[in-house]
Amino acid sequence: MEPEKILNISVDCVVFGYDITTKSLNVLVIKRFLEAEGKVLVDDYVLTGYHVYKQETLDQTATRVLKELTGLTGQYKKQFKAFGNPDRLTNEKDIIWIKNEEFNLRTITIAYYFLLKTEDVDVNKNKYQAKWFPVNNLPELGFDHKKIIEEAYEDLKIKCLSEPIIFKLLPDKFTINEAQDLYQSILGIEIDNRNFRRKLINKKYIIALDEKQVGVSKKPAQLYMFSLDLYEKMFKKNYLINI
Amino acid sequence: MEPEKILNISVDCVVFGYDITTKSLNVLVIKRFLEAEGKVLVDDYVLTGYHVYKQETLDQTATRVLKELTGLTGQYKKQFKAFGNPDRLTNEKDIIWIKNEEFNLRTITIAYYFLLKTEDVDVNKNKYQAKWFPVNNLPELGFDHKKIIEEAYEDLKIKCLSEPIIFKLLPDKFTINEAQDLYQSILGIEIDNRNFRRKLINKKYIIALDEKQVGVSKKPAQLYMFSLDLYEKMFKKNYLINI
DNA sequence: TATTTTAAACGTATTTTTTACGTTATTAAC
DNA sequence: GTTAATAACGTAAAAAATACGTTTAAAATA
């Protein structure tokens, strides 16, 4: 039996997935489809989310929602904002949709984002018809989910500048250029490769492995890993005022 | 008649007030007191907060709560986190207290913080028995409000490094040293006055006024103001990766 | 009025970090 | 071996941060 739900409080999850091959930062959304009498009433996408259960923390709700959608656990997650405007679920299609759901029109949602690799999710046999879209080229989205994604993306942009979260989006073993490509994808900027390379290599927590790329048709690049352990050991807040 | 409340969703406000005289960053809390049969059951402090009304946004709730407590409007405010652990209101005293209130034990609160000057609030004739406490020397607090304050403070520390929010805590006309004292109070660090002074004065949005301090018994300092207008005009995100 | 006291304000040298861009090295494919 | 392509290294200049010495201005006092 399903635990008791809080009908007016939900968690929505912005699942960011980085595709290292296409160098694309993507968002995972699910299909919202409804037809009646042969007529399509709703056909768009929404974020994955669910009610908070009476006996769980918000973090647990988020973890549960991600697992239900992707089967994954232990991914990086961050609660970044609550959305609670009275009109946030009141577009025409939202109202049609909600009629079929056990759902309160005045629902407040706590929004989280997750960081993982696109390839870690098998979308083909996904029961929610989950699909990846580039964060800069989203489909039509229901509720206020476009806004939620945009705010998550802004938070991610800021956060990746000061915390080593990009490594959540990269494989354990990565090349300097792959890290650079990721920054460029997230921030939408060009970075000088020579300076970026030097900067990253000089960090003590970026560890050169005894390995190179395999299966590439040009000079294979050196592989590196990120050591969270070393990062945390050496970490001191430097309080650089930069206004 | 009071608008309809959402009984399981509230907003709590961490009101930061800077006292430029004592150079102290303070938090405004209200008294929570209950006695029965001559016995004191509850005697501590809590953040100010209230239910969200059915027809208002979360931001509006926060604004309303601050106005109710202080009479102030238009202050800087930021929604920084939602707190929703099932056990967040279940300390012994919390349970005693909630019995007397129209209040759901499983309430989720959206926490905001405000930035203002301590002197802008008249706590003496405040009907909630509001009181300022230094953020580093808080009294006994009910519910999970100690945790909420600590997380608000952490967010403020980070944010003041990259956004010009300290000027919300200073008078319109301030001296360089007053700005420095404020940074030192918030961050708990010592800053070299000569370097700080040069750095701040060189900003185009820090404007030297044709005025000096009055009523000081030593050399009066030059007064400056912050121009949000100039700040926003010149602002370009520089995306400095600093991991 | 001259002197003292105290904090404000200015200055200079050094180190560190960032930025810009030229050059070399390595590997697979031909 | 030669070529093509990317990885990887290097150097110089500019900008920013850090450390710390010196001067100036105003009020209090002697």
Side-chain angles (χ1 to χ4, degrees):
Chain A
M1 202 187 106
E2 191 181 5
E4 191 181 352
K5 291 179 275 194
I6 303 176
L7 288 177
N8 64 342
I9 299 173
S10 67
V11 161
D12 279 307
C13 295
V14 180
V15 181
F16 287 113
Y18 182 64
D19 184 334
I20 200 169
T21 312
T22 61
K23 301 173 187 176
S24 168
L25 182 67
N26 302 312
V27 178
L28 191 60
V29 289
I30 62 176
K31 190 82 176 172
R32 188 171 73 157
F33 187 85
L34 186 68
E35 61 181 350
E37 299 158 11
K39 211 176 154 194
V40 175
L41 298 174
V42 182
D43 181 12
D44 53 17
Y45 291 88
V46 288
L47 290 172
T48 183
Y50 204 74
H51 302 284
V52 176
Y53 289 146
K54 270 260 163 68
Q55 293 305 326
E56 72 184 351
T57 66
L58 302 175
D59 276 10
Q60 283 166 351
T61 310
T63 300
R64 170 169 60 80
V65 166
L66 185 80
K67 190 181 178 193
E68 171 74 12
L69 175 71
T70 67
L72 300 171
T73 55
Q75 308 296 315
Y76 176 88
K77 98 175 153 279
K78 192 197 166 196
Q79 186 208 300
F80 70 97
K81 192 162 181 194
F83 294 82
N85 279 14
D87 64 354
R88 59 177 289 267
L89 309 178
T90 56
N91 298 322
E92 193 187 340
K93 288 178 184 172
D94 298 339
I95 290 169
I96 295 169
W97 181 260
I98 287 174
K99 271 186 194 150
N100 286 36
E101 299 264 315
E102 187 189 9
F103 212 94
N104 194 321
L105 262 178
R106 184 67 173 104
T107 287
I108 280 163
T109 197
I110 317 299
Y112 282 74
Y113 64 80
F114 285 85
L115 302 181
L116 45 88
K117 296 120 208 160
T118 303
E119 59 178 15
D120 285 349
V121 182
D122 185 355
V123 290
N124 290 319
K125 48 187 176 189
N126 186 284
K127 65 176 173 178
Y128 296 100
Q129 298 181 62
K131 196 172 170 190
W132 291 107
F133 286 91
V135 68
N136 292 317
N137 191 20
L138 297 167
E140 193 188 331
L141 289 156
F143 305 127
D144 55 352
H145 289 187
K146 178 146 198 177
K147 185 161 189 273
I148 293 178
I149 293 172
E150 283 167 356
E151 294 208 26
Y153 187 29
E154 280 309 307
D155 195 288
L156 173 60
K157 278 184 184 175
I158 301 294
K159 208 163 180 64
C160 78
L161 296 176
S162 60
E163 287 182 38
I165 55 173
I166 57 152
F167 306 111
K168 311 287 183 183
L169 294 162
L170 289 171
D172 287 347
K173 301 172 181 181
F174 55 86
T175 70
I176 300 295
N177 286 354
E178 285 167 348
Q180 180 182 338
D181 288 338
L182 175 49
Y183 269 116
Q184 293 181 159
S185 294
I186 295 175
L187 299 172
I189 56 169
E190 293 265 292
I191 301 171
D192 182 280
N193 176 257
R194 293 154 292 191
N195 295 329
F196 179 84
R197 162 169 254 107
R198 173 174 31 217
K199 186 163 184 170
L200 215 59
I201 287 176
N202 280 335
K203 305 288 180 188
K204 294 210 185 70
Y205 48 84
I206 301 290
I207 298 165
L209 300 170
D210 275 336
E211 263 183 276
K212 298 196 168 188
Q213 280 179 312
V214 290
V216 287
S217 71
K218 287 289 138 51
K219 176 180 176 181
Q222 169 78 49
L223 288 172
Y224 292 83
M225 61 169 281
F226 167 72
S227 166
L228 181 60
D229 212 50
L230 281 177
Y231 178 83
E232 283 173 346
K233 253 175 206 154
M234 74 171 43
F235 192 76
K236 68 152 186 22
K237 273 223 159 62
N238 63 347
Y239 287 133
L240 183 60
I241 296 164
N242 192 20
I243 57 168
Chain B
M1 201 189 106
E2 190 180 5
E4 191 180 352
K5 289 179 276 192
I6 303 176
L7 288 178
N8 64 342
I9 301 173
S10 67
V11 161
D12 279 306
C13 295
V14 180
V15 181
F16 286 113
Y18 182 62
D19 185 333
I20 200 168
T21 312
T22 61
K23 301 173 188 175
S24 169
L25 182 67
N26 303 312
V27 178
L28 192 60
V29 288
I30 61 177
K31 190 82 177 171
R32 189 172 72 157
F33 187 85
L34 186 68
E35 60 180 350
E37 300 159 11
K39 210 176 154 195
V40 174
L41 298 174
V42 182
D43 181 12
D44 52 17
Y45 290 89
V46 288
L47 290 172
T48 182
Y50 204 74
H51 301 285
V52 176
Y53 288 147
K54 270 262 164 67
Q55 292 306 326
E56 72 184 350
T57 66
L58 302 174
D59 277 10
Q60 284 166 351
T61 310
T63 301
R64 170 168 61 79
V65 167
L66 185 80
K67 190 180 177 194
E68 172 74 11
L69 176 71
T70 67
L72 300 171
T73 55
Q75 308 297 314
Y76 175 88
K77 98 175 154 282
K78 191 197 166 196
Q79 186 208 299
F80 71 96
K81 192 162 181 194
F83 294 82
N85 278 15
D87 64 354
R88 58 177 289 268
L89 310 178
T90 56
N91 298 322
E92 194 189 338
K93 287 178 185 173
D94 298 338
I95 290 169
I96 295 169
W97 181 260
I98 287 173
K99 272 187 192 148
N100 286 35
E101 299 265 314
E102 186 189 11
F103 212 94
N104 195 320
L105 261 178
R106 183 69 174 102
T107 288
I108 279 162
T109 197
I110 318 297
Y112 281 74
Y113 64 80
F114 285 84
L115 302 182
L116 45 87
K117 296 123 210 158
T118 303
E119 59 178 15
D120 285 349
V121 181
D122 186 355
V123 290
N124 290 319
K125 48 188 176 190
N126 186 284
K127 65 176 172 178
Y128 296 100
Q129 298 181 60
K131 194 172 171 191
W132 291 107
F133 287 91
V135 68
N136 293 316
N137 192 18
L138 296 167
E140 194 188 329
L141 288 156
F143 306 127
D144 56 351
H145 288 188
K146 177 145 200 178
K147 184 161 191 271
I148 293 177
I149 292 172
E150 282 167 358
E151 294 209 24
Y153 186 31
E154 280 309 306
D155 195 289
L156 172 61
K157 278 184 183 174
I158 301 293
K159 208 164 179 64
C160 77
L161 295 175
S162 60
E163 285 182 40
I165 55 173
I166 56 153
F167 306 109
K168 311 287 183 183
L169 294 163
L170 289 172
D172 288 347
K173 302 171 181 181
F174 55 87
T175 71
I176 301 295
N177 285 354
E178 284 168 349
Q180 180 181 339
D181 288 339
L182 175 49
Y183 269 117
Q184 293 181 161
S185 293
I186 295 176
L187 299 172
I189 56 168
E190 294 265 293
I191 302 172
D192 182 281
N193 175 257
R194 293 154 292 192
N195 295 329
F196 179 83
R197 160 169 256 106
R198 173 175 30 216
K199 185 164 183 168
L200 214 58
I201 288 175
N202 281 336
K203 305 288 180 187
K204 295 210 184 66
Y205 48 83
I206 302 291
I207 298 166
L209 300 170
D210 275 337
E211 261 183 278
K212 298 196 168 188
Q213 280 180 313
V214 289
V216 287
S217 71
K218 286 289 139 50
K219 176 179 177 180
Q222 169 77 50
L223 289 172
Y224 292 84
M225 61 170 282
F226 167 71
S227 166
L228 182 59
D229 213 49
L230 282 177
Y231 179 82
E232 283 174 346
K233 253 176 206 152
M234 75 170 40
F235 193 77
K236 67 153 189 17
K237 273 225 158 62
N238 63 347
Y239 286 133
L240 183 61
I241 297 164
N242 192 21
I243 58 168

